[in-house]
């Protein structure tokens, strides 16, 4: 059974503590972690950092983290601006874009 997380439309620093706590709570449970980010229209690096930390922590525990859908355009633009797409690994592309071509 998967743990479901939903990220609100604004995934920015002022909401980072809530998202961080959701991730900590999800890691305390068993199973894969699925994250719904389809509603995200505004994001900053705190959002990306939290998801990257979640991926590392989950991998260390032998668990899977997946996005329900490929990242929405605002998050893809943020990843590009922040340099995350300069030399992404296949795992990064699979996580963020579900194997689709980067737009």
């Amino acid at each position: 059974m998967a743990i479901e997380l939903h990220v609100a439309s604004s995934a920015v620093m002022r909401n980072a503590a809530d998202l961080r706590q959701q991730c900590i709570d999800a890691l305390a449970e068993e199973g894969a972690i699925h994250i719904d980010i389809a509603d995200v229209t505004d994001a900053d690096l705190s959002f990306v950092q939290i998801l990257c930390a979640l991926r590392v922590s989950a991998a260390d525990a032998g668990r899977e983290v997946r996005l329900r859908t490929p990242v929405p355009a605002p998050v893809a633009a943020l990843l590009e601006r922040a340099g995350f797409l300069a030399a992404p690994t296949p795992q990064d592309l699979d996580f963020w874009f579900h194997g689709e071509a980067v737009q």
Side-chain angles (χ1 to χ4, degrees):
M1 184 151 123
I3 295 107
E4 303 287 333
L5 299 181
H6 176 78
V7 179
S9 63
S10 183
V12 296
M13 180 63 83
R14 74 177 159 272
N15 305 327
D18 291 336
L19 179 58
R20 177 183 169 272
Q21 190 60 52
Q22 286 183 52
C23 292
I24 290 169
D25 293 346
L27 286 168
E29 297 183 37
E30 297 291 322
I33 301 169
H34 295 167
I35 307 167
D36 178 0
I37 64 169
D39 293 338
V40 175
T41 58
D42 185 27
D44 64 18
L45 284 178
S46 66
F47 169 69
V48 174
Q49 289 171 324
I50 290 169
L51 290 187
C52 288
L54 174 62
R55 287 178 65 198
V56 169
S57 295
D60 288 347
R63 300 197 32 218
E64 176 188 50
V65 176
R66 296 277 304 158
L67 299 179
R68 281 268 171 226
T69 60
V71 294
V75 178
L78 172 63
L79 292 169
E80 179 67 36
R81 284 191 314 272
F84 284 88
L85 302 181
T89 66
Q91 295 82 8
D92 290 336
L93 292 175
D94 184 53
F95 177 75
W96 296 111
F97 299 98
H98 290 210
E100 295 180 8
V102 178
Q103 301 294 321

